[in-house]
Amino acid sequence: MKLLFNKNPKEICMKRVALVTGGIGGIGTAICKKLADAGHTVVTCDINAERADSWVADMKAQGYDFKVYICDVTNFDQCAEMAAKITAEVGPVDILVNNAGITRDAVFKKLSKVDWDLVLGTNLDSVYNITKQFCEGMTERGWGRVINMSSVNGQKGQFGQTNYSAAKAGMHGFTKALAQEVAKKGVTVNTISPGYIGTEMVMAIKEEVRNQIISTIPVGRLGTPEEIAELVAYLASNSGSFITGSNIAINGGLHMF
Ligand code: CAA
Ligand code: NAP
């Protein structure tokens, strides 16, 4: 494996292959850039081919060369097909960031079965569908990182989000169980629980409700995608090798435990 220097010349890092699901979204884009800045080869997958093309062009203009694989993470067969392509075209994936996610908020009384299934499928089933493709390769090679993007609302629950809170809470159980299975093989599995971050997902909340939420965040503002990406890059690095089975909260003090 090739040795190279990242932006901090004192720190030598290995060049790895990273897959970020939902990588063309707000947080995903920041993660892709941060991992690329750390010297890794980064690929992403997304469901929307049209948006992917314009994102790739935009990234190219900023000096990043990312490949997007079109894949619906709720579909196991598509995930398997994508994994085979990435492995053949780019190489085995060492760093997996399960980041794709959606919300379909409604009070439980109004929550449809369709929106329950869609949110559980995209935020939780996807973690099985994607991790299943890469985890064994990581353990065989003796190094790997699985980083699952949960949410503060999976920790504390949120009015109007029985579906999302259940899916994001489910990620913690998955993380802690898998972390125990693969720890001796050099693979870490962790969950990050961001609070409210300034992306389309949060901007879609009614302004009045959003402002009310912001007023309850002790630091007094939304987080930035870059703040989440910094944490992902740390967990993905060799320095993060003793952190496994953890959930790291990054929420401006919204939920302390
Ligand atoms: N706690 C207690 N009561 C609440 C409440 C809360 N947090 N929010 C709303 N209510 C009450 C309202 O005051 C209202 O009461 P009345 O009927 O007595 O007037 C009642 O519930 C209905 O509220 P709405 O008018 O808002 O109902 P709605 O059906 O139009 O909308 C909703 C419901 C879609 C859930 C809306 O309240 C909402 O968008 N809430 C925000 C949910 C949220 O935080 N989503 C996060 C999305 S981003 C994300 O998820 C990223 C992440 O990981 C952090
Ligand atoms: P975002 O901008 O909406 O990005 C999510 C990305 O996932 C989008 O590019 C979306 O594609 C993609 N995606 C959705 N369904 C998919 C599917 N079935 N298959 C493949 N890709 C799919 O949201 P974000 O704010 O960056 O959120 C990223 C992650 O962080 C999510 O898991 C979210 O739950 C979590 N999170 C966000 C916040 C926050 O405040 N923003 C807080 C805590 C946790 P399309 O847009 O093309 O559908």
Side-chain angles (χ1 to χ4, degrees), residues 26-27 46 48 51 71-73 99 150 164 168 195 197 199 202:
I27 293 175
D46 211 278
N48 187 326
R51 243 161 53 80
C71 170
D72 176 353
V73 295
N99 168 74
S150 183
Y164 185 81
K168 293 303 196 187
I197 309 301
T199 69
V202 165

Side-chain angles (χ1 to χ4, degrees), residues 20-182:
V20 181
T21 70
I24 75 174
I27 293 175
T29 299
I31 296 171
C32 289
K33 288 175 163 182
K34 188 61 68 183
L35 291 176
D37 291 346
H40 303 301
T41 300
V42 182
V43 297
T44 179
C45 74
D46 211 278
I47 196 169
N48 187 326
E50 238 172 75
R51 243 161 53 80
D53 286 345
S54 63
W55 181 84
V56 167
D58 181 30
M59 289 298 110
K60 195 147 249 162
Q62 295 181 42
Y64 293 96
D65 188 15
F66 295 132
K67 196 163 187 179
V68 184
Y69 291 82
I70 300 308
C71 170
D72 176 353
V73 295
T74 68
N75 182 312
F76 184 85
D77 293 340
Q78 284 187 28
C79 293
E81 218 173 283
M82 174 186 71
K85 269 197 206 157
I86 294 174
T87 307
E89 293 173 9
V90 188
V93 168
D94 305 306
I95 299 166
L96 169 60
V97 187
N98 283 310
N99 168 74
I102 57 165
T103 53
R104 292 291 183 272
D105 295 354
V107 291
F108 186 63
K109 195 165 66 173
K110 295 186 197 163
L111 181 64
S112 68
K113 174 79 169 114
V114 169
D115 282 348
W116 173 267
D117 289 343
L118 204 54
V119 167
L120 269 287
T122 309
N123 293 281
L124 186 59
D125 293 350
S126 64
V127 175
Y128 171 85
N129 293 344
I130 294 279
T131 309
K132 187 76 179 160
Q133 315 302 333
F134 301 106
C135 191
E136 212 172 308
M138 291 179 189
T139 56
E140 280 166 10
R141 293 189 301 280
W143 198 96
R145 297 285 185 265
V146 179
I147 300 164
N148 298 319
M149 202 56 68
S150 183
S151 163
V152 64
N153 292 343
Q155 297 178 281
K156 70 171 190 59
Q158 172 62 11
F159 187 102
Q161 288 198 308
T162 47
N163 50 1
Y164 185 81
S165 297
K168 293 303 196 187
M171 282 178 153
H172 299 312
F174 176 96
T175 297
K176 289 186 272 192
L178 184 62
Q180 292 178 41
E181 293 183 20
V182 298

Side-chain angles (χ1 to χ4, degrees), residues 199-246:
T199 69
E200 274 176 35
M201 187 179 267
V202 165
M203 298 328 265
I205 306 171
K206 273 191 290 189
E207 191 177 4
E208 184 194 335
V209 176
R210 191 172 64 242
N211 287 338
Q212 196 281 325
I213 290 169
I214 295 171
S215 73
T216 65
I217 302 172
V219 303
R221 64 168 175 88
L222 296 174
T224 68
E226 290 71 28
E227 287 170 323
I228 306 303
E230 291 277 359
L231 180 54
V232 170
Y234 181 77
L235 289 175
S237 72
N238 283 333
S239 305
S241 62
F242 204 56
I243 304 175
T244 196
S246 287

